[in-house]
């Protein structure tokens, strides 16, 4: 198959994912990339605690900020382009990494098929996540790894991976040791003139960029390890049992591709001499999972970098099996894998958690057009679990916005609760303490919340009318729900029309109690 056609096919799939995938996955897609780049470029926005503490590298956001700056210079910095172009940029990098996977595996048809169909890679391959960047760079590095010869080009993308996310080292340490063991070159020469030199150059550039943008000398990989691994701050955001990556995490990321991967494991174990690359990859996969399993906080995306390794093992086994399989069995196998990936890809890309993405254009319109009775612009309060939506990068208007924060217990306070937890324990008490009752214009002009909360703060909502109801998800959780609601404050003298049309959905008490005047006002 001609390489140009292969590249064009991969490019078409990855660009299609930019427009097909219109759902919310995790906050880091926005808050650790787009929001940071927006603040760097336009001077307003919000930086989360990770950036204040210096545990995140500016390498990725600076690239997006460069794109934003170019758009601003060309006066093309519309919110739509600020959202779209970084995803296209990531999709282009993913395209190249997928192409390199095809080349690395010997240009096999199974390789092209297996890199294009995984549901999780379609779902995340165009998202502006550091994990997506890491997975792409990992694939590129693996394709340049000297499996059957000599070469050190792979060290550049591998070093960038390790600087961006130090946990990537658990993949590259065993592979680097394998390289040193098999190489015909001097180990000392390789370490001093290649490993150490390239590592220092990448680290030096990274530290220089981070020091400039953080405003002080900082080594972000060290800070990352100190907070997330040594101090176990990540467990504040959830923990899983030690075996989770083996039993849930990796099988979910692979989806139905788990079946050919297991077949690849069996073939590699039985005939290891015929699968030397797969053998080393399986060792690396197992060591990586074992080490990551020791960290309490676990997420699916944390093992996305293992996807190319697993797919290579599956490709290697299926390619050999294909020589003795009948045509009908081959087509049936391919069809099962395709359908098994297409269903979750469609569901998670177009159905599950669409609310935050559909919400932002409506808030953008409010930010652009709304004026209250004093001609003040909108100020928007998000009464949701923290980082439930994108932020300024999707609105691109310098209006007042506030959300419930969820910083971890950095000062090690006893019985610590973040702002979001305190709010959801007693929403009305929090509102009474933080939002003024008089004058009416001092209250937020707009509230954004999930529908279950509306029932609990119905007294407070008497000064608001429902503006938008946006479908979010199928399952209702304690702090999230089926829909996202947007309320707009009634203007002074306006009729309190709330609940005339929504009474059945959001009941209000007959005799609301007066609220006490808070000491600290909104914002």
């Amino acid at each position: 198959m001609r390489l140009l056609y292969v590249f064009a096919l991969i490019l078409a799939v990855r660009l299609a994912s930019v427009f097909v995938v219109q759902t919310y996955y995790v906050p880091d897609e926005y808050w650790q990339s787009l929001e940071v780049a927006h603040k760097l470029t336009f001077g307003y926005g919000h930086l989360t605690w990770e950036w204040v503490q210096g545990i995140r590298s500016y390498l990725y956001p600076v690239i997006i900020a460069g794109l934003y700056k170019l758009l601003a210079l060309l006066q093309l910095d519309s919110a739509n382009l600020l959202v779209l172009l970084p995803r296209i940029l990531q999709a282009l990098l993913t395209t190249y990494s997928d192409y390199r996977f095809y080349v690395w595996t010997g240009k096999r048809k199974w390789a092209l098929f297996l890199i294009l169909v995984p549901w999780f890679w379609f779902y995340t391959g165009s998202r502006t996540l550091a994990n997506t960047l890491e997975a792409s760079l990992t694939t590129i590095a693996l394709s340049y790894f000297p499996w059957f010869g000599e070469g050190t080009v792979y060290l550049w993308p591998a070093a960038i991976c390790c600087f961006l996310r130090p946990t990537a080292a658990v993949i590259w340490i065993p592979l680097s040791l394998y390289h040193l063991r098999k190489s015909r070159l001097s180990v000392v020469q390789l370490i001093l003139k290649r490993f150490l030199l390239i590592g220092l150059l990448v680290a030096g550039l990274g530290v220089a960029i981070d020091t400039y943008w953080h405003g002080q000398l900082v080594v972000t990989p060290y800070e990352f390890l100190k907070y997330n691994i040594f101090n176990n701050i990540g467990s504040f955001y959830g923990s899983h049992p030690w075996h989770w990556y083996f039993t849930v995490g990796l099988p979910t990321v692979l989806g139905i591709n788990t079946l050919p991967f297991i077949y690849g494991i069996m073939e590699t174990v039985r005939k290891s001499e015929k699968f030397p690359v797969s053998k080393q990859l399986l060792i690396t996969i197992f060591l990586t999972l074992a080490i990551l399993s020791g960290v309490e906080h676990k997420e699916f995306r944390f093992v996305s970098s293992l996807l190319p390794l697993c797919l290579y093992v599956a490709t290697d086994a299926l390619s050999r099996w294909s020589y003795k399989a009948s045509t009908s069995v081959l087509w049936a196998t391919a069809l099962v894998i395709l359908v098994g990936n297409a269903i979750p890809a469609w569901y998670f890309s177009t159905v599950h958690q669409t609310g935050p993405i559909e919400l932002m254009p409506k808030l953008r319109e409010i930010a652009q057009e709304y004026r209250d009775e004093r001609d003040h612009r909108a100020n928007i309060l998000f009464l949701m679990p923290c980082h439930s939506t994108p932020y300024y990068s999707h609105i691109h208007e310098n209006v007042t916005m506030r959300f419930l924060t969820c910083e971890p217990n950095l000062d090690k306070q006893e019985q610590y609760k973040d702002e979001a937890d305190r709010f959801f324990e007693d929403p009305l008490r929090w509102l009474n303490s933080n939002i003024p009752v008089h004058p009416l214009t001092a209250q937020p002009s707009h509230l954004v919340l999930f529908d279950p909360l509306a029932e609990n703060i119905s007294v407070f909502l008497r000064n608001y009318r429902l503006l938008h109801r946006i479908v979010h998800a199928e399952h209702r959780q304690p702090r999230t729900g089926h829909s996202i609601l947007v309320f707009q404050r009634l203007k002074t003298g306006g009729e309190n029309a709330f609940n005339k049309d929504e009474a059945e959905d959001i009941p209000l008490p007959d005799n609301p109690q007066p609220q006490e005047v808070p000491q600290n006002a909104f914002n």
Side-chain angles (χ1 to χ4, degrees):
M1 191 178 295
R2 294 184 180 179
L3 294 181
L4 183 60
Y5 293 159
V6 170
F7 188 86
L9 175 61
I10 297 172
L11 178 62
V13 172
R14 296 307 165 207
L15 289 180
S17 73
V18 174
F19 300 95
V20 173
V21 179
Q22 295 296 321
T23 52
Y24 187 90
Y25 176 33
V26 289
D28 282 12
E29 179 181 355
Y30 314 102
W31 293 84
Q32 307 298 346
S33 55
L34 300 188
E35 299 301 334
V36 181
H38 191 278
K39 183 163 179 68
L40 290 181
T41 308
F42 302 105
Y44 64 94
H46 182 87
L47 296 180
T48 59
W49 70 271
E50 295 99 326
W51 299 93
V52 176
Q53 299 297 326
I55 74 170
R56 299 288 186 181
S57 174
Y58 274 97
L59 284 179
Y60 193 30
V62 161
I63 295 173
I64 299 174
L67 182 60
Y68 282 179
K69 189 64 176 178
L70 178 62
L71 290 174
L73 292 173
L74 297 174
Q75 297 184 340
L76 296 174
D77 55 316
S78 67
N80 287 330
L81 288 180
L82 295 183
V83 173
L84 181 64
L85 291 188
R87 291 196 62 193
I88 291 177
L89 182 65
Q90 180 58 57
L92 292 176
L93 179 61
T94 300
T95 297
Y96 179 67
S97 72
D98 290 350
Y99 172 77
R100 289 302 310 175
F101 179 84
Y102 174 72
V103 173
W104 168 39
T105 54
K107 304 173 185 177
R108 300 170 179 174
K109 292 180 180 179
W110 273 113
L112 180 61
F113 179 75
L114 288 179
I115 198 62
L116 287 180
V117 300
W119 78 270
F120 191 80
W121 196 223
F122 183 86
Y123 178 59
T124 62
S126 62
R127 294 184 184 271
T128 50
L129 280 165
N131 309 94
T132 303
L133 176 62
E134 178 191 358
S136 296
L137 291 175
T138 298
T139 306
I140 294 169
L142 288 169
S143 72
Y144 286 107
F145 190 87
W147 298 104
F148 301 106
E150 297 290 347
T152 55
V153 175
Y154 79 94
L155 289 172
W156 292 99
I160 296 173
C161 274
C162 294
F163 189 89
L164 284 172
R165 293 190 61 81
T167 49
V170 299
I171 292 178
W172 290 107
I173 288 176
L175 288 176
S176 296
L177 292 175
Y178 172 74
H179 176 201
L180 292 173
R181 183 169 59 84
K182 69 174 283 295
S183 177
R184 291 171 295 182
L185 301 177
S186 166
V187 172
V188 175
Q189 185 180 19
L190 271 176
I191 292 176
L192 294 180
K193 293 186 177 180
R194 294 295 185 271
F195 284 73
L196 190 59
L197 179 61
I198 293 174
L200 288 175
L201 287 174
V202 171
L205 178 61
V207 169
I209 291 174
D210 289 337
T211 297
Y212 177 80
W213 289 108
H214 279 290
Q216 60 182 350
L217 179 62
V218 60
V219 182
T220 53
Y222 169 74
E223 298 296 329
F224 179 96
L225 291 173
K226 182 177 76 173
Y227 279 93
N228 287 322
I229 307 300
F230 305 144
N231 295 339
N232 197 25
I233 290 295
S235 62
F236 179 79
Y237 298 105
S239 59
H240 293 86
W242 68 267
H243 56 79
W244 188 84
Y245 279 131
F246 289 95
T247 57
V248 179
L250 186 61
T252 300
V253 168
L254 288 173
I256 198 170
N257 300 305
T258 302
L259 298 178
F261 174 59
I262 291 175
Y263 175 71
I265 294 175
M266 296 169 58
E267 288 294 289
T268 302
V269 171
R270 288 173 52 208
K271 310 169 186 176
S272 59
E273 70 283 353
K274 294 184 178 180
F275 299 91
V277 176
S278 292
K279 176 183 176 181
Q280 183 58 40
L281 291 177
L282 284 178
I283 293 173
T284 303
I285 291 168
F286 177 80
L287 288 175
T288 301
L289 292 177
I291 294 172
L292 291 181
S293 294
V295 181
E296 285 188 43
H297 182 60
K298 301 175 177 67
E299 295 187 37
F300 296 113
R301 59 193 173 102
F302 292 169
V303 292
S304 58
S305 291
L306 292 179
L307 190 59
L309 288 76
C310 297
L311 293 179
Y312 184 99
V313 173
T315 296
D316 209 6
L318 287 179
S319 297
R320 296 172 187 269
W321 166 77
S322 297
Y323 290 115
K324 54 187 178 182
S326 65
T327 302
S328 58
V329 172
L330 283 173
W331 279 103
T333 302
L335 183 61
V336 169
I337 294 174
L338 177 62
V339 173
N341 281 288
I343 292 174
W346 164 78
Y347 173 74
F348 286 104
S349 299
T350 64
V351 178
H352 184 63
Q353 296 189 162
T354 57
I357 307 304
E358 295 180 8
L359 166 72
M360 301 318 289
K362 299 182 186 300
L363 294 185
R364 186 188 315 147
E365 182 180 0
I366 290 171
Q368 292 170 345
E369 300 180 1
Y370 176 85
R371 298 294 184 275
D372 69 8
E373 55 269 53
R374 295 187 178 182
D375 202 36
H376 294 159
R377 303 187 72 184
N379 69 34
I380 304 169
L381 175 60
F382 294 80
L383 297 175
M384 317 168 84
C386 71
H387 310 137
S388 291
T389 70
Y391 214 46
Y392 281 101
S393 65
H394 282 55
I395 293 179
H396 196 42
E397 292 286 337
N398 194 5
V399 297
T400 300
M401 298 198 296
R402 179 182 174 182
F403 64 94
L404 302 172
T405 59
C406 56
E407 286 89 355
N409 187 12
L410 299 177
D411 298 326
K412 299 182 179 179
Q413 302 175 19
E414 293 185 7
Q415 298 181 337
Y416 173 81
K417 293 180 182 178
D418 62 45
E419 184 179 38
D421 284 340
R422 295 196 304 272
F423 170 81
F424 282 104
E425 275 190 352
D426 193 340
L428 279 177
R429 180 180 180 182
W430 187 94
L431 290 168
N432 289 338
S433 300
N434 289 271
I435 308 300
V437 178
H438 303 290
L440 195 61
T441 53
Q443 296 183 5
S445 65
H446 294 82
L447 303 175
V448 184
L449 52 121
F450 287 107
D451 52 342
L453 178 63
E455 301 175 9
N456 298 328
I457 62 169
S458 54
V459 173
F460 183 80
L461 292 177
R462 285 190 179 278
N463 291 327
Y464 290 82
R465 67 181 181 90
L466 183 62
L467 195 63
H468 299 293
R469 179 187 292 271
I470 303 163
V471 175
H472 171 62
E474 312 74 47
H475 305 292
R476 182 169 174 169
Q477 302 295 328
R479 295 187 180 183
T480 62
H482 296 296
S483 303
I484 296 175
L485 308 180
V486 180
F487 288 90
Q488 180 172 294
R489 179 175 51 78
L490 296 170
K491 293 185 177 181
T492 304
E495 179 188 7
N496 189 347
F498 173 73
N499 205 36
K500 285 187 176 181
D501 298 323
E502 300 294 328
E504 295 184 1
D505 297 326
I506 308 173
L508 295 174
D510 295 329
N511 299 307
Q513 299 298 315
Q515 303 176 39
E516 59 181 278
V517 178
Q519 297 299 316
N520 55 325
F522 173 71
N523 257 10

